[in-house]
Amino acid sequence: MGLVLGPPGTGKTHLLSWLIAGFGAVRTANGRPARTLVTAFTKNAVGNVLDAVAKRQEVHDTAAPAPIYFGAPPSGGLAPGVQVLGRGDEAELAQEIASGRAVIGATIWSLYRLISSGVLPTVDGPTAPLFDLVCIDEASQMVLGQGLMALAGMAPGCRIVVSGDDQQLPPVRSMRSTRIDDREMGGSLYAFLKSAQAAEFPLEETFRLNEPLAQFPERKFYPGRYVSAAPTTRLTLRGDWRDGLDLVSRIALDPALPVVILVHDGLAAATSNPFEAALAAKFVSELADRVLAANGPPTTAEFWTEVAAVVSPHRAQNAAIRAMIPASLRPDAFVETVDRIQGKERDAVILSYCVSDPEFALAEAEFIFSPERLNVASTRARTKLVLIISRRLLEAVPGEQETMDKAELLREFVYSCDLLAETVLDGPAGRQSGRRYVGGGLRVIASNWT
């Protein structure tokens, strides 16, 4: 058994697909069974790995059988090279596994349905000897009980590869972390195996973030082992992109400033902040008019699938932002919570922290000051992150030391930046809101962001 630590953009899916394709080819060449299970916290993660395996086999192992997705297909779809078997196809799936070589993708619930279907020749209660390799992705989001269910199909001598990142969002659960004999029992499968001293192999090179964007995660979440493979990549805009923009937008969209943080003194707000929503929608419109994709100006669909995303912790704020985006850009608009953007990436991300009521912030301090939430939200962008945040939120003082430390991390992210400008903007109802513009992200590299 081994753990693969996959920080943002380090190619975890790419690595898993090569491991699975290579395992199948080598085992088959040596006359040994090569039956692989791919499972994960979400269907889309399973589908992503299967798509990548199909791509590898199409080029390097054309004799390999097509990967199979068992169950209702993921919302993100599947590549043409992936076969789908659904409810009622358990007997056919069992035959594919019995052939000795198969790559099967399924959720833990689909695996349980297969084992309990009555079509398998050998079953021992909730388990069956089906697979020679089990790959579990997104294990840092999978609670321990679900993770153990993923192991129900192990054959004798089965190998297990568990990938995840315990610095990103943990499982959604109602209980706090619980340790028994130094084993983490109340958290994720990844956390449990790590506490049990399972060997961990970190991926250390991010192919997503440019160097400025990678600096803070490297310092605070992955010290000494998070390096950008594309350090000089920048957002691509038209040559005349500055025309028609005010000071705020020129700073926010400037490709030479990969990280721009806007700290405002707007009115108190809880789950919906009209001032931040209006500003985020404004940046979306201006970016869409000026950004260039590989083949010129992107279509609306390309803009939302490749170029831009808007992120906020609260659904009410996302709804407010969508309503303010120009009608021509609303179709397929990716305006989502932090949880929904985990695992995805865009060229530019606009992040509205929304909350500017100190009392409300303290009531949800564990949520709004979560370091994992900050890590996920700030590592989705390849070339540009624009963070909009209230000074009131940054001045909130949680009562517990552990939560205070989390709030301090967010403050450090903001106030370790270089001050570029201060100005006053009209709020959504014409009221003026004093604003401070902090550009660049990390003081140590600000002078190099040109």
Side-chain angles (χ1 to χ4, degrees):
M1 175 182 291
L3 299 178
V4 176
L5 173 62
T10 52
K12 176 166 52 68
T13 299
H14 181 81
L15 172 64
L16 289 179
S17 69
W18 276 111
L19 286 174
I20 293 166
F23 179 82
V26 172
R27 296 268 296 196
T28 301
N30 287 275
R32 304 180 67 187
R35 303 161 296 174
T36 299
L37 172 68
V38 178
T39 190
F41 178 68
T42 62
K43 293 180 178 181
N44 283 331
V46 176
N48 290 340
V49 175
L50 293 184
D51 289 350
V53 171
K55 183 177 179 181
R56 305 288 165 266
Q57 293 182 164
E58 181 182 358
V59 176
H60 301 285
D61 191 3
T62 55
I68 297 171
Y69 186 94
F70 176 55
S75 60
L78 293 164
V82 178
Q83 182 183 353
V84 178
L85 296 178
R87 188 182 293 271
D89 296 327
E90 287 83 3
E92 182 179 351
L93 181 63
Q95 290 179 355
E96 294 289 343
I97 296 172
S99 71
R101 184 173 186 186
V103 177
I104 310 298
T107 64
I108 56 171
W109 310 111
S110 294
L111 174 63
Y112 174 78
R113 188 168 71 244
L114 172 64
I115 293 174
S116 59
S117 66
V119 304
L120 299 175
T122 304
V123 173
D124 183 9
T127 68
L130 300 174
F131 301 105
D132 309 294
L133 172 65
V134 173
C135 289
I136 306 174
D137 198 6
E138 294 184 329
S140 49
Q141 291 183 275
M142 187 179 285
V143 297
L144 179 57
Q146 293 173 340
L148 295 178
M149 287 177 66
L151 304 180
M154 293 190 301
C158 178
R159 302 186 180 204
I160 304 167
V161 176
V162 177
S163 67
D165 180 2
D166 55 350
Q167 297 298 322
Q168 298 192 53
L169 290 177
V172 177
R173 62 184 189 275
S174 59
M175 65 181 292
R176 286 182 175 269
S177 243
T178 303
R179 297 187 75 88
I180 300 176
D181 293 333
D182 293 327
R183 303 291 172 87
E184 177 58 68
M185 307 297 293
S188 69
L189 172 66
Y190 195 96
F192 169 76
L193 293 175
K194 190 171 181 176
S195 69
Q197 305 302 314
E200 184 180 52
F201 303 91
L203 304 179
E204 300 183 348
E205 192 172 32
T206 177
F207 299 89
R208 176 190 303 161
L209 284 68
N210 59 25
E211 183 180 10
L213 283 164
Q215 291 267 338
F216 189 82
E218 186 278 330
R219 281 173 48 204
K220 294 301 176 180
F221 299 108
Y222 315 103
R225 56 182 190 182
Y226 195 58
V227 180
S228 173
T232 61
T233 304
R234 297 294 184 267
L235 187 66
T236 304
L237 303 180
R238 295 185 337 225
D240 60 349
W241 67 269
R242 292 181 179 83
D243 294 353
L245 296 180
D246 58 25
L247 171 65
V248 177
S249 295
R250 287 199 303 272
I251 293 174
L253 268 60
D254 192 343
L257 300 172
V259 183
V260 175
I261 302 175
L262 298 89
V263 181
H264 67 85
D265 295 314
L267 299 176
T271 60
S272 181
N273 189 318
F275 182 80
E276 291 192 15
L279 199 56
K282 178 175 182 285
F283 292 155
V284 165
S285 178
E286 293 167 340
L287 178 62
D289 286 341
R290 291 163 174 81
V291 72
L292 295 177
N295 299 314
T299 64
T300 298
E302 290 170 338
F303 179 77
W304 290 116
T305 57
E306 292 294 329
V307 175
V310 183
V311 181
S312 177
H314 291 289
R315 292 189 180 94
Q317 177 70 348
N318 290 331
I321 294 171
R322 283 193 201 96
M324 293 184 180
I325 290 174
S328 61
L329 290 173
R330 285 181 200 158
D332 303 315
F334 193 96
V335 185
E336 292 290 354
T337 61
V338 180
D339 306 71
R340 292 294 299 274
I341 200 174
Q342 179 156 305
K344 299 178 176 63
E345 61 184 64
R346 296 292 188 274
D347 290 337
V349 171
I350 299 167
L351 172 59
S352 166
Y353 249 79
C354 179
V355 178
S356 57
D357 182 329
E359 291 186 6
F360 185 83
L362 294 179
E364 63 162 21
E366 284 287 340
F367 172 82
I368 199 67
F369 294 124
S370 162
E372 296 88 356
R373 197 167 300 278
L374 172 63
N375 186 28
V376 170
S378 63
T379 55
R380 301 306 99 191
R382 290 185 282 255
T383 60
K384 166 70 73 171
L385 172 66
V386 179
L387 167 60
I388 309 170
I389 193 168
S390 169
R391 178 180 55 80
R392 296 168 186 252
L393 175 60
L394 295 170
E395 292 177 351
V397 182
E400 296 184 5
Q401 184 61 50
E402 182 179 355
T403 312
M404 171 77 81
D405 292 342
K406 295 176 181 179
E408 186 59 33
L409 184 68
L410 177 60
R411 285 191 284 268
E412 181 178 348
F413 182 79
V414 172
Y415 290 121
S416 62
C417 306
D418 286 332
L419 178 64
L420 292 187
E422 292 189 27
T423 188
V424 175
L425 286 184
D426 287 338
R431 294 183 294 271
Q432 290 189 330
S433 299
R435 302 192 60 84
R436 169 181 291 174
Y437 291 91
V438 186
L442 304 178
R443 187 181 303 275
V444 68
I445 60 172
S447 62
N448 297 327
W449 290 10
T450 56

